[in-house]
Amino acid sequence: MGSKKYNDLWFDYDLSILTLKYWKILRFAWKDSLTVKEQVFKEIGNARSRIYYWFDMVYCYFRYGAATFNYSAFKFYEKNGKYRNSFLTFRRYIKLIQTHFDWETHLLFKCKDRFNSFYRSFIQRKWLKLDSNTERKDILEFIACCSGGGIVKPLDSMQGKGVYRIYNNDIERIEELVNDLKQGNSFLIEEIVENIDSLKVLNPSSLNTVRVNTFIDKHGNLSFLNFALRVGGNGAVVDNFSAGGVVYPIDKNTGCIVGYGLDKNNKRYSHHPSTGVQMLGFQIPGFNELRSFVSDAARLNSKARFVGWDVAITENGFELIEGNFASDETILQLDGVGKYEYILRNW
Amino acid sequence: MNEAELRANHLLNYRLYSLKRFPTLWKYMKASASELSNRINRPKYLILLDMLYCNLRYGAMDSREYVLFSFYNKSNKERREYFTKRNYFRLIRKFDKTEFINLIDKSNQYNAYSEFIHRKWILCDSSIEKSEILSFISDVGDVIFKPISSDCGNGIVKVSSDDIQTINEILKSNNVYIVEECLKNCKELDTLNPYSLNTIRVTYVITKSGDVNVFSVMLRTSGVNESIVDNWGAGGLLLNVDVNTGVVCSVGLDESHKEYDHHPITKVPFVGFKVPQFNDVMDFAKDIARKNPKVVYGGLDIAITDNGLELIEINFPPANIGYQVFGKGYLKEINSIY
């Protein structure tokens, strides 16, 4: 009975790895070994046979708990055992969450209305919770007072699923939304947040945010684990990694993009694919202020100790978009530095 | 034997395992199991078996604990972290007996902690003259009549000073009461609910090494229209407050585990509400805890008024359910006492 709870948490994550029968990893690894081989060939012009990568993936799964997507994202194929062991891999990540799970904080971050209410001093945009009691009149009123329409999010979705824009004259969409509400689904409608121009150029269709991972250790000290810039894919509304976005690692001290971007198919980019803007060396505007903004937000709840914050940079200053309680391990270690030991020692 | 001693003896001699209680237990178990099985879509007999298992294995002695702690979707490891009722009665037996019996009586409490209680109060029992009480009431204004050893806010009455008829009725009943001045919330807490006194429940333990460990802070407010008490058993709402920052980080929960985003009367959103003067409250609570180290596990009700902080009462021991309904058990903290 106990394991049922985590189904709720991971309902739309890649469940295959959790429910994995051991023989299944062979099939998964075989599928992914080809892409790894191609990736290596592209990078250094020379690669070993597919069977080598297949065995290595299976070994890494049993030895380090690395899922196949960990293997390629963290470049385990070119690293030795000591380096591999320093990473927070998928199995270790699940284990970490299960041992330090806090139901209340989980709900605070997962239910977007609670989050917006709790961090109200860091949020300037208007928002409204929609449930079965909401009338069509309220929705229309809300959209009318937002410049540029609203954005509708399911109340507890992850990875940017089911998020769409809604406009004042879009009667069909509003009708659809009202029908959804009648069926008992609940949503959150928010005012559109616009990037400042230098970030908007990267991908105009989506809101491009900075992901900051913070960690509060056992003595109560706050530390920044890493920074990353998330830019949406071509025509996408959201910038989520799993919805086609590209993630670029940012230097902790200077705020420059210091590495190639990664998308969910493990392709690496120096120029953003949709617009062709050169990304390496891109400076995040107002980086020091961003650090203090995030540290203020992170200190507000002492039980939320390991959080990934999504912060948008707008004309009116910083805007907290959402927080991810125990955010995922790929973006966390995008800069190629393993953080498993640090987290384990200081939790 | 007076009322307080009877209550203390009842708690001290409560049988941990008893077949005599089983018919009543079975009745309540069946009722809550059928309600749960509708809610979470699980067969009723499985829930009943699980309840029995939790009773014997983890000490969740009534079905209410099983429901409120959400044991039905918790793993065994999480269930083990809860401070349940059987552990609670076991803990009471280890307490300092004289102090325990002494503090159940509210008038003794008020005398012992007089430096933290600034409001005027008077003990109303058979020895006191009626005219004395009436003159006290005319001095103070609106008053509150509290039974001397009740819980859950039972029998607490607010009386305005010109309502002579009600006062006479209460005095005729010959129960022992405490009559005390009516308090008013500070401005920030008044926005939450102006009808009741919204208090802060601070639960602490004093560990083996003598440190005061405040592990749970809750804000309590009344959810029922124009109710004067904020007790959970009387329709109140519980909000969990972050111990380090003083910000409400949960939605409101009432006794039947219904969740409230907003206050049902004033529509103030709960999550993110900042408790005023929070650092002062924590210092105040720690001062009270250090005053009597024999109270190893205490629950303080603290009111924040315009004239400063005020101790409403000290619960020794506080009930085990309230602070654990938010999804985390505190058995580890309790075990650090002895």
Side-chain angles (χ1 to χ4, degrees):
Chain A
M1 277 178 197
S3 64
K4 270 206 164 168
K5 188 174 119 184
Y6 296 105
N7 290 355
D8 171 42
L9 180 58
W10 298 111
F11 64 102
D12 49 5
Y13 213 91
D14 189 357
L15 265 177
S16 51
I17 191 79
L18 274 183
T19 55
L20 211 56
K21 301 276 185 303
Y22 286 125
W23 51 270
K24 269 195 184 170
I25 185 67
L26 302 177
R27 194 153 58 78
F28 278 109
W30 181 249
K31 224 168 74 185
D32 286 2
S33 58
L34 191 63
T35 48
V36 169
K37 190 187 167 186
E38 284 166 1
Q39 196 180 329
V40 176
F41 193 81
K42 227 184 207 174
E43 278 172 14
I44 54 174
N46 186 12
R48 300 197 206 206
S49 79
R50 184 181 178 179
I51 294 173
Y52 171 84
Y53 293 115
W54 178 43
F55 271 117
D56 202 23
M57 272 181 164
V58 174
Y59 170 71
C60 281
Y61 172 75
F62 286 112
R63 175 70 181 79
Y64 308 110
T68 50
F69 54 83
N70 285 159
Y71 185 86
S72 42
F74 300 151
K75 295 191 178 180
F76 272 12
Y77 42 79
E78 57 181 29
K79 297 295 194 300
N80 62 7
K82 196 179 169 190
Y83 179 89
R84 289 171 174 181
N85 203 11
S86 71
F87 270 83
L88 179 66
T89 54
F90 191 76
R91 195 206 289 149
R92 289 169 174 179
Y93 169 61
I94 298 282
K95 215 172 169 183
L96 196 75
I97 290 178
Q98 287 183 350
T99 44
H100 300 289
F101 193 79
D102 183 0
W103 196 232
E104 189 190 59
T105 318
H106 167 65
L107 283 179
L108 180 70
F109 280 84
K110 197 181 162 195
C111 300
K112 293 189 167 81
D113 58 324
R114 288 190 200 182
F115 180 83
N116 285 4
S117 176
F118 189 84
Y119 292 98
R120 56 182 87 159
S121 51
F122 301 92
I123 288 172
Q124 297 166 16
R125 61 186 186 277
K126 292 176 211 127
W127 59 276
L128 182 71
K129 184 187 174 186
L130 307 177
D131 52 17
S132 50
N133 300 325
T134 320
E135 290 174 21
R136 179 207 300 265
K137 191 181 66 188
D138 302 336
I139 302 174
L140 287 175
E141 230 169 61
F142 183 85
I143 300 174
C145 70
C146 296
S147 55
I151 192 154
V152 177
K153 301 173 177 176
L155 209 55
D156 53 358
S157 86
M158 288 162 90
Q159 306 174 337
K161 280 181 187 165
V163 177
Y164 56 85
R165 279 193 183 205
I166 198 162
Y167 297 101
N168 209 356
N169 48 8
D170 195 351
I171 297 165
E172 280 177 27
R173 263 281 158 80
I174 294 174
E175 204 60 38
E176 239 172 68
L177 180 62
V178 172
N179 281 338
D180 270 352
L181 290 176
K182 270 180 196 160
Q183 284 166 11
N185 301 325
S186 23
F187 295 88
L188 194 75
I189 185 164
E190 290 183 339
E191 193 183 353
I192 290 273
V193 178
E194 291 281 351
N195 278 128
I196 54 169
D197 291 339
S198 62
L199 280 173
K200 207 172 180 181
V201 180
L202 306 179
N203 189 41
S205 71
S206 65
L207 178 70
N208 307 318
T209 59
V210 181
R211 164 67 65 90
V212 188
N213 281 299
T214 60
F215 181 72
I216 298 177
D217 64 17
K218 56 190 167 192
H219 307 299
N221 303 323
L222 182 79
S223 58
F224 293 99
L225 292 179
N226 83 328
F227 292 81
L229 179 68
R230 312 194 307 161
V231 185
N234 197 3
V237 182
V238 292
D239 61 352
N240 293 60
F241 181 63
S242 39
V246 185
V247 195
Y248 300 92
I250 298 174
D251 188 277
K252 257 194 221 181
N253 302 314
T254 60
C256 280
I257 289 179
V258 286
Y260 280 30
L262 179 79
D263 75 353
K264 68 171 174 180
N265 299 324
N266 290 312
K267 280 189 182 158
R268 309 218 172 225
Y269 303 97
S270 62
H271 295 66
H272 191 64
S274 69
T275 51
V277 182
Q278 158 86 37
M279 293 302 295
L280 282 172
F282 180 86
Q283 171 73 39
I284 304 296
F287 188 69
N288 287 331
E289 291 81 4
L290 180 96
R291 281 176 69 111
S292 61
F293 177 82
V294 174
S295 74
D296 285 349
R299 280 178 217 280
L300 200 59
N301 188 345
S302 61
K303 275 190 266 175
R305 295 176 57 183
F306 177 32
V307 184
W309 308 94
D310 291 343
V311 185
I313 305 172
T314 67
E315 298 283 348
N316 310 326
F318 299 105
E319 175 87 13
L320 193 59
I321 299 298
E322 65 169 14
N324 300 277
F325 186 40
S327 74
D328 72 299
E329 77 286 2
T330 311
I331 302 180
L332 175 70
Q333 293 162 123
L334 194 66
D335 48 1
V337 182
K339 297 185 174 73
Y340 180 56
E341 209 180 324
Y342 177 79
I343 291 174
L344 205 65
R345 272 197 187 161
N346 292 296
W347 200 299
Chain B
M1 215 182 262
N2 63 24
E3 205 180 323
E5 269 173 42
L6 276 175
R7 207 173 115 70
N9 275 335
H10 171 70
L11 287 174
L12 284 169
N13 301 325
Y14 198 83
R15 297 187 64 149
L16 300 183
Y17 300 90
S18 152
L19 273 180
K20 232 191 238 174
R21 282 201 307 267
F22 189 76
T24 347
L25 176 69
W26 185 247
K27 199 179 95 194
Y28 283 110
M29 269 169 65
K30 274 205 296 198
S32 47
S34 61
E35 195 209 334
L36 254 185
S37 75
N38 287 334
R39 180 139 59 94
I40 61 172
N41 234 343
R42 199 178 293 169
K44 195 174 156 185
Y45 73 93
L46 272 183
I47 296 177
L48 280 173
L49 279 177
D50 202 25
M51 272 178 184
L52 277 177
Y53 174 70
C54 285
N55 188 326
L56 297 171
R57 174 72 180 78
Y58 306 106
M61 273 164 82
D62 50 13
S63 53
R64 188 159 161 257
E65 279 188 336
Y66 182 86
V67 177
L68 287 177
F69 296 164
S70 319
F71 271 5
Y72 46 87
N73 61 6
K74 293 252 187 312
S75 63
N76 287 350
K77 183 178 161 287
E78 285 166 307
R79 289 172 178 182
R80 229 179 288 140
E81 289 167 6
Y82 276 84
F83 176 54
T84 53
K85 206 158 189 178
R86 193 166 288 130
N87 301 336
Y88 174 77
F89 286 118
R90 277 198 188 118
L91 182 73
I92 288 176
R93 291 175 187 188
K94 292 183 193 165
F95 285 158
D96 187 300
K97 298 275 176 339
T98 50
E99 201 62 51
F100 175 63
I101 294 170
N102 187 23
L103 283 182
I104 273 191
D105 191 325
K106 271 181 192 155
S107 64
N108 293 344
Q109 253 184 47
Y110 281 31
N111 285 325
Y113 289 88
S114 58
E115 56 192 282
F116 304 103
I117 295 173
H118 309 297
R119 61 185 184 280
K120 290 173 196 139
W121 63 278
I122 191 170
L123 183 67
C124 159
D125 56 4
S126 51
S127 65
I128 199 165
E129 295 275 322
K130 193 180 158 189
S131 59
E132 212 171 316
I133 295 165
L134 286 177
S135 72
F136 174 80
I137 291 172
S138 63
D139 258 14
V140 175
D142 294 358
V143 288
I144 293 216
F145 278 81
K146 260 187 199 174
I148 197 143
S149 66
S150 79
D151 53 358
C152 303
N154 285 332
I156 292 182
V157 196
K158 182 180 174 181
V159 182
S160 61
S161 54
D162 46 351
D163 194 357
I164 307 287
Q165 202 183 355
T166 327
I167 295 171
N168 281 335
E169 265 172 38
I170 295 170
L171 293 182
K172 256 182 219 162
S173 66
N174 273 339
N175 291 336
V176 185
Y177 280 98
I178 281 181
V179 189
E180 61 180 50
E181 195 184 334
C182 207
L183 289 176
K184 220 174 155 356
N185 289 319
C186 70
K187 206 170 52 202
E188 291 92 334
L189 285 178
D190 225 23
T191 56
L192 203 62
N193 182 8
Y195 300 108
S196 74
L197 187 67
N198 304 317
T199 59
I200 291 163
R201 164 61 71 89
V202 178
T203 318
Y204 70 87
V205 293
I206 295 182
T207 58
K208 267 177 249 173
S209 51
D211 305 327
V212 178
N213 178 11
V214 175
F215 61 89
S216 159
V217 180
M218 289 180 296
L219 181 60
R220 310 191 305 170
T221 178
S222 167
V224 185
N225 213 348
E226 303 197 10
S227 160
I228 58 154
V229 291
D230 59 0
N231 295 61
W232 207 41
L237 302 176
L238 279 184
L239 312 171
N240 200 10
V241 176
D242 190 323
V243 179
N244 297 316
T245 59
V247 186
V248 174
C249 51
S250 75
V251 289
L253 283 178
D254 73 358
E255 210 188 7
S256 55
H257 219 288
K258 201 179 158 204
E259 295 185 348
Y260 294 85
D261 290 355
H262 301 260
H263 195 281
I265 302 164
T266 54
K267 309 290 178 212
V268 179
F270 282 146
V271 184
F273 184 88
K274 278 204 173 93
V275 175
Q277 310 170 29
F278 184 72
N279 290 334
D280 297 344
V281 173
M282 293 299 272
D283 291 342
F284 186 71
K286 280 177 186 164
D287 285 347
I288 299 171
R290 284 195 200 99
K291 160 104 177 154
N292 187 352
K294 279 179 187 166
V295 183
V296 282
Y297 164 53
L300 311 169
D301 289 348
I302 296 172
I304 306 174
T305 65
D306 286 331
N307 307 325
L309 302 173
E310 176 87 15
L311 176 67
I312 300 296
E313 63 176 21
I314 177 163
N315 293 281
F316 175 51
N320 62 330
I321 292 185
Y323 54 85
Q324 295 187 109
V325 292
F326 299 101
K328 189 172 184 299
Y330 288 101
L331 186 61
K332 211 175 100 191
E333 277 79 2
I334 304 291
N335 280 344
S336 69
I337 300 175
Y338 291 110

